[in-house]
Amino acid sequence: MESMEGIYKMTSTNSSHAESMLVLNNTALCDMMSNTYSPIVLEEQEKEPLDVKTFTVKKLKKSFCCTPTKAKDFFIDLFPVVRWFPKYKWKKWILGDVISGLIVGILLVPQSIAYSLLAGQEPVYGLYTSFFACIIYFFMGTSRHISVGIFGVLCLMIGQVVERELQIAGFDFDDTNSTFLSNQSAYVCGRSCYAIRIGSTLTFMAGVYQVAMGIFQVGFISVYLSDSLLSGFATGASFTIITSQMKYLIGIHIPRANGPGSLVKTWISIFKNIHETNICDLVTSILCLLVLVPMKEINECYKSKLKAPIPGELLIVVVATLVSHYAQLNAKFNSTIAGDIPTGFMAPILPDWSLIPRIAVDAVPIAIIGFAITVTLSEMFAKKHGYTVKANQEMFAIGACNVIPAFFHCFTSSAALAKSLVKESTGCKTQFSSVITALVLLLVLLVIAPLFYSLQKCVLAVIIIVNLRGALRKFIELPKMWKVSKVDTVVWFVTMLATALVTTELGLLIGVCFSAICVIGRTQVPRATVLGQLKGTEIYEDLRKYKNLQDLPGIKIFRFEAPLYYANKELFKKSLYKQTGIDPILEVLARKKAEKKNIRELKQKSATHSPTGAKSEVTLQLSYQQYDIHTIIIDCSVIQFLDIAGLGTIKEVYKDYKNIGISVLLSNCNASVIDSLCSGNYFDHGCVNGLLFYSVHDAVKFALNVHQKNGDFEVNTPC
C-alpha cells in the first residue's frame, strides 16, 4: 500500500483479529503481522488561515455599529421587563405575586432596620436600600424569584470599612452627636451623616466594578467561588456577625475591632466589660430569642402546610416597641433604642470622591461576593422552574442596584437566600412581586417609620443572630460533606476559620487561594492505578477497588487520572514503575553492571584457557533477563492534555521500556492528546513508534495476538 500521512484506524479483514488502532502510516505493520489491513482515513478539518486584521475590523464593526434594530435589542436586553411585562398573565399570576410581595415586604421591614445596625448605619438607610433595590431589579433582573435587598455578609463587610473610616476621621465609637469638619470640603457633617457617606461611596464603587465586569463580560470570576468556599465564607462571617452583635445583646459599649483577629479582640473586650451588662437588654434579648427561635423552627418544619410563614420578626418588633415605649425602658434602665427614624426621602448626594482612594480596594470583594450570590441563587431558581437567566445581565442588574441607590443614602445590596425562598414558597411568579414589596416599604418610609423610635437595639441584634441559623447549621452537614468530598470539606474549614479569625476580605482571598491550591494539588498527586478485566467483558477497572477483576498475563494496564504536565511528570513515572513493578532505568543499569561483571569473568577465564562456548552461554544468560510482562498499556482516557514536559515523559517511558524489550501502547487518547503526540513527533514516518488504540480492549487483544504469533512482542523495528 502507498504511504499516506494522517491518522488511520486499522481494522483486520480477518474476523478473528478485530483489533483497531490509530497509527501515522498505513504501512507501519507491514512486517509485523501477516494479515492484510485496510486503512480508514481520518481526515482533519481544513482550517482557514486567520487574518487578524480582517477579524479585528469585523468584530469592531459589529460591536460599535448602531442600527435601530440593534439599539432596540440592546434596550430590551438591558431592561428585560419590557419583554415580559406586556405578556403578564394577570388572572393567573397576580394573586401569587401580591401575596409573596406583601409577605416579603413585611419580613423586610424589621430585617432592613436590623441589618442597618450591622452596616454601622441608621435604621432608615436600610429601608432606603431595600426599597430602591426592589424597584431597580424589577426593571433589570432576569430571575423571576430572587429577592434583592440587604444581605448580612455584605452588611458586615460594609460595617467594618465604615468603622475604620470613622476612626480615621476622629470619631469615637460612641460619639453619636459630634461633628466632623472634612479637610476636603466645606461642609460640617455628624457621625451618622459621615457613616452613610462612607457606605454609599463604597456601594457606588462596588456597583461600578459590577457594571464594568458586565461590560467586559468577566462574570466567569464567580466560577472560582465554589459552593463549599461560599458556604465556609458565610459561616465564618456569621461568627463575626454574632460577635459584633453581642454588645447589643447584653447592652455594653465597646469599640468595634478592625483588622486581623478582630473576632478575638472583640471577645476580649466583651469579657473585660461584661460587668457593665445592662440587665434590661439582657432579659429582653433572652425573651426575644425564646420566642423567635421556635417561630423560625415552626416555619421551617411546617413550611409545606403553612400558606404563609409566621412573621416572627415583625411580631417581635411590634411587641418589643410597645413594651419599650410604655415601660419607658430607655429612661428607666438606659436601654439603647433605635431613636428617630425620619419619614420621606432625603435629597440625593454625590459620593465622597475623596474617600475613593482608601475604599476602592475594599469594594472589590464586596462586588464579587454580591454578584456571585445573586447569580448562584438566580440559576438555582431558574433551573428549578425551567427558565433561563443571563449571568451577564444579572451583573448589570445588581450593579445598577448599587450604583443608582448610592446617590440616595443607600448601602450595598444583593440577592438573599432566606427571603428568596419565602418569596418562591408563597406563590411568586414574576418580579412584579418586588413592586408590591417596594410599596410596603414605601408605606413604612412615609408613615410608619417614626413609630419604631422606642425599639431596643438588642431586639434588632436578636433578629440578625437568629437569621444566621442556616449558615451555622452547616456544621451538622459536615459528616455528610466529608463522605462526599474530603477536599471540599477542608476548603470549607480553611475558608471558615480564615474568615472568622483573620478578616472577611482576607478570609475570602485565603479561601480562593487554598481552593486553587487544592485543584492544582489534585493534578499533582492524582490517583494512579492498575486495571484488571471483568471476565468475559470489555470492562477494565481498578484492581484495588473491585475484587472480581482478573489481571491479564503478560500485560499491565496503567491509568493516570490527571493531565500530564510539568508538575506531575515525575510522579507519573514513579507511579508507572511502582505499579508495573519494573523500573527500566534500574534494569538497564543492572544489565550493564552484569555485562561488566561477565567481561571481567571472561577475561579471567581466558587467562586460564577456559572454553569460549561456556563464556558465551554465561554472558547471554546474564545479559538478557526475561520479565513477567511483555506489554504496558497506558489508558489515557483521563489525561485531558499533554504539555511539552508531559510529551517528553511519554517519549522517555516508551524508549526506556523499549530498551528492555517491553512495548508501550496508548489507548483512549482524546483529540488534544493525539494532536500533541503528532506535533511532538511521537510517531516516526515509516514505522510504528508507538500505537494508539480506541479502547483498552482493542489494545489488549492486539498485544495478546502479536505475542502469541511472534513470542517476544517487538513492534518497534523499522518496516
Side-chain angles (χ1 to χ4, degrees):
M1 285 186 289
E2 186 178 343
S3 177
M4 299 173 63
E5 290 187 9
I7 298 180
Y8 293 85
K9 175 183 177 183
M10 308 295 287
T11 56
S12 174
T13 55
N14 189 334
S15 60
S16 62
H17 305 306
E19 309 89 45
S20 61
M21 69 200 77
L22 289 169
V23 297
L24 270 182
N25 196 293
N26 66 339
T27 62
L29 302 178
C30 55
D31 294 330
M32 191 189 312
M33 298 180 68
S34 58
N35 300 66
T36 304
Y37 284 81
S38 58
I40 300 176
V41 180
L42 297 180
E43 298 180 359
E44 290 188 5
Q45 295 281 357
E46 293 184 5
K47 296 180 181 179
E48 296 182 3
L50 178 64
D51 187 338
V52 178
K53 182 179 178 181
T54 305
F55 177 79
T56 305
V57 171
K58 184 179 178 181
K59 282 288 183 182
L60 289 174
K61 284 183 178 179
K62 185 178 179 181
S63 300
F64 292 101
C65 70
C66 184
T67 63
T69 303
K70 192 170 183 180
K72 179 183 175 183
D73 291 340
F74 174 78
F75 181 80
I76 292 174
D77 288 340
L78 190 61
F79 298 100
V81 67
V82 177
R83 181 182 291 112
W84 65 262
F85 194 65
K87 303 174 184 178
Y88 189 84
K89 299 177 182 178
W90 291 92
K91 292 182 179 180
K92 189 175 180 181
W93 293 345
I94 188 64
L95 183 61
D97 283 343
V98 169
I99 292 174
S100 62
L102 286 172
I103 292 171
V104 172
I106 291 169
L107 294 175
L108 265 177
V109 172
Q111 290 185 13
S112 298
I113 296 173
Y115 281 114
S116 299
L117 197 68
L118 185 60
Q121 308 295 339
E122 295 296 320
V124 69
Y125 300 133
L127 296 171
Y128 288 163
T129 300
S130 296
F131 171 78
F132 283 105
C134 288
I135 292 295
I136 295 170
Y137 193 81
F138 165 74
F139 286 102
M140 300 187 68
T142 58
S143 173
R144 302 174 191 173
H145 295 90
I146 66 169
S147 175
V148 176
I150 292 177
F151 181 54
V153 174
L154 296 183
C155 289
L156 172 67
M157 299 171 76
I158 294 164
Q160 290 173 337
V161 177
V162 168
E163 192 67 27
R164 184 193 71 202
E165 293 301 319
L166 286 174
Q167 291 177 3
I168 292 173
F171 288 105
D172 294 329
F173 71 93
D174 58 351
D175 193 6
T176 56
N177 297 315
S178 65
T179 58
F180 165 68
L181 181 61
S182 173
N183 294 327
Q184 286 78 26
S185 54
Y187 63 84
V188 175
C189 190
R191 178 187 173 92
S192 173
C193 167
Y194 192 62
I196 191 58
R197 282 190 179 276
I198 299 167
S200 60
T201 304
L202 183 64
T203 298
F204 174 78
M205 287 305 301
V208 168
Y209 290 148
Q210 289 167 337
V211 172
M213 286 190 286
I215 292 172
F216 294 105
Q217 298 186 358
V218 292
F220 65 87
I221 292 175
S222 64
V223 305
Y224 296 101
L225 305 178
S226 65
D227 291 342
S228 57
L229 186 146
L230 286 174
S231 175
F233 175 74
T235 303
S238 298
F239 283 113
T240 307
I241 293 171
I242 292 171
T243 301
S244 70
Q245 298 305 299
M246 285 302 298
K247 64 181 181 180
Y248 299 109
L249 285 181
I250 61 178
I252 63 175
H253 297 278
I254 58 174
R256 187 170 186 167
N258 288 308
S262 58
L263 182 138
V264 177
K265 294 175 186 175
T266 302
W267 279 106
I268 292 173
S269 297
I270 289 171
F271 284 113
K272 282 183 178 179
N273 296 274
I274 200 166
H275 61 280
E276 299 176 2
T277 299
N278 187 306
I279 301 301
C280 178
D281 284 344
L282 178 60
V283 172
T284 303
S285 299
I286 294 172
L287 291 174
C288 289
L289 283 168
L290 291 175
V291 173
L292 190 55
V293 171
M295 283 187 178
K296 288 285 187 178
E297 292 300 322
I298 290 171
N299 285 338
E300 185 69 25
C301 294
Y302 298 100
K303 60 184 177 182
S304 59
K305 297 180 180 179
L306 292 172
K307 293 184 178 179
I310 302 170
E313 291 101 333
L314 185 64
L315 293 175
I316 290 290
V317 165
V318 171
V319 173
T321 302
L322 292 173
V323 171
S324 176
H325 176 73
Y326 288 106
Q328 298 181 353
L329 298 181
N330 175 247
K332 293 181 179 179
F333 303 101
N334 197 29
S335 181
T336 309
I337 59 175
D340 289 317
I341 303 178
T343 57
F345 292 90
M346 299 181 184
I349 58 168
L350 292 173
D352 191 337
W353 308 115
S354 63
L355 288 170
I356 290 178
R358 291 204 300 271
I359 65 173
V361 175
D362 298 304
V364 174
I366 293 175
I368 294 174
I369 288 293
F371 165 69
I373 294 293
T374 302
V375 170
T376 301
L377 293 181
S378 299
E379 291 178 345
M380 181 181 78
F381 286 112
K383 184 178 180 180
K384 182 176 180 180
H385 293 276
Y387 62 92
T388 58
V389 293
K390 297 179 180 179
N392 219 51
Q393 177 58 25
E394 288 297 299
M395 186 87 83
F396 284 120
I398 202 64
C401 286
N402 289 319
V403 171
I404 298 172
F407 294 91
F408 295 92
H409 304 83
C410 299
F411 48 90
T412 313
S413 60
S414 74
L417 176 60
K419 293 185 284 292
S420 298
L421 289 172
V422 170
K423 192 172 182 178
E424 182 215 19
S425 64
T426 51
C428 173
K429 301 298 181 184
T430 69
Q431 279 299 326
F432 185 68
S433 61
S434 295
V435 176
I436 307 301
T437 301
L439 292 176
V440 174
L441 293 167
L442 183 63
L443 177 65
V444 173
L445 281 166
L446 296 179
V447 181
I448 303 174
L451 300 179
F452 297 115
Y453 174 87
S454 299
L455 177 62
Q456 293 168 270
K457 286 187 176 181
C458 64
V459 177
L460 300 176
V462 168
I463 292 173
I464 292 172
I465 291 172
V466 171
N467 279 293
L468 298 174
R469 295 172 309 117
L472 298 177
R473 276 179 175 165
K474 291 294 180 181
F475 285 99
I476 301 174
E477 300 175 10
L478 283 182
K480 183 179 178 181
M481 189 190 300
W482 180 260
K483 289 181 181 179
V484 174
S485 175
K486 293 178 176 59
V487 174
D488 283 346
T489 309
V490 174
V491 169
W492 186 93
F493 256 112
V494 169
T495 308
M496 183 271 295
L497 291 174
T499 303
L501 299 178
V502 188
T503 63
T504 49
E505 296 85 355
L506 287 176
L508 178 64
L509 180 61
I510 291 169
V512 171
C513 293
F514 184 77
S515 183
I517 290 170
C518 287
V519 172
I520 295 171
R522 287 167 116 172
T523 62
Q524 276 192 276
V525 192
R527 290 179 72 244
T529 60
V530 171
L531 307 184
Q533 183 187 33
L534 182 61
K535 192 172 182 180
T537 70
E538 298 182 8
I539 298 173
Y540 296 83
E541 280 299 338
D542 187 355
L543 277 169
R544 292 180 299 179
K545 189 171 183 180
Y546 304 103
K547 60 183 180 181
N548 58 331
L549 300 177
Q550 63 178 7
D551 203 354
L552 298 173
I555 299 175
K556 288 288 184 182
I557 307 168
F558 177 73
R559 177 188 287 167
F560 190 72
E561 299 182 359
L564 182 54
Y565 67 117
Y566 66 93
N568 62 14
K569 62 185 181 69
E570 291 300 324
L571 179 68
F572 174 85
K573 290 193 291 185
K574 288 180 181 178
S575 301
L576 179 60
Y577 299 160
K578 181 180 178 181
Q579 297 289 355
T580 58
I582 299 174
D583 185 335
I585 297 174
L586 295 180
E587 294 295 331
V588 169
L589 291 175
R591 179 179 294 180
K592 289 180 178 179
K593 187 177 180 181
E595 287 176 352
K596 288 180 180 178
K597 183 178 179 182
N598 288 348
I599 292 172
R600 288 197 300 270
E601 290 178 356
L602 285 173
K603 288 181 178 179
Q604 291 173 0
K605 290 182 180 181
S606 297
T608 57
H609 304 286
S610 66
T612 58
K615 303 174 195 173
S616 301
E617 187 177 348
V618 172
T619 302
L620 287 173
Q621 288 175 353
L622 292 175
S623 298
Y624 298 98
Q625 180 182 350
Q626 297 297 319
Y627 302 104
D628 294 335
I629 61 174
H630 53 75
T631 307
I632 293 174
I633 299 172
I634 299 177
D635 178 9
C636 302
S637 58
V638 200
I639 299 179
Q640 293 95 336
F641 65 86
L642 300 173
D643 69 351
I644 294 175
L647 178 62
T649 301
I650 291 286
K651 287 182 176 181
E652 185 180 340
V653 164
Y654 171 83
K655 181 180 177 182
D656 289 343
Y657 276 110
K658 176 185 174 183
N659 289 338
I660 60 173
I662 296 176
S663 293
V664 176
L665 308 180
L666 306 180
S667 69
N668 288 332
C669 296
N670 61 38
S672 172
V673 172
I674 293 174
D675 287 344
S676 297
L677 293 171
C678 294
S679 302
N681 297 321
Y682 181 72
F683 308 99
D684 285 343
H685 295 288
C687 68
V688 180
N689 230 6
L691 297 177
L692 290 176
F693 293 83
Y694 279 126
S695 69
V696 172
H697 191 63
D698 288 339
V700 169
K701 288 197 298 181
F702 177 80
L704 292 174
N705 241 345
V706 176
H707 183 64
Q708 289 171 2
K709 283 181 174 291
N710 301 337
D712 291 336
F713 182 23
E714 180 62 55
V715 298
N716 304 302
T717 54
C719 296

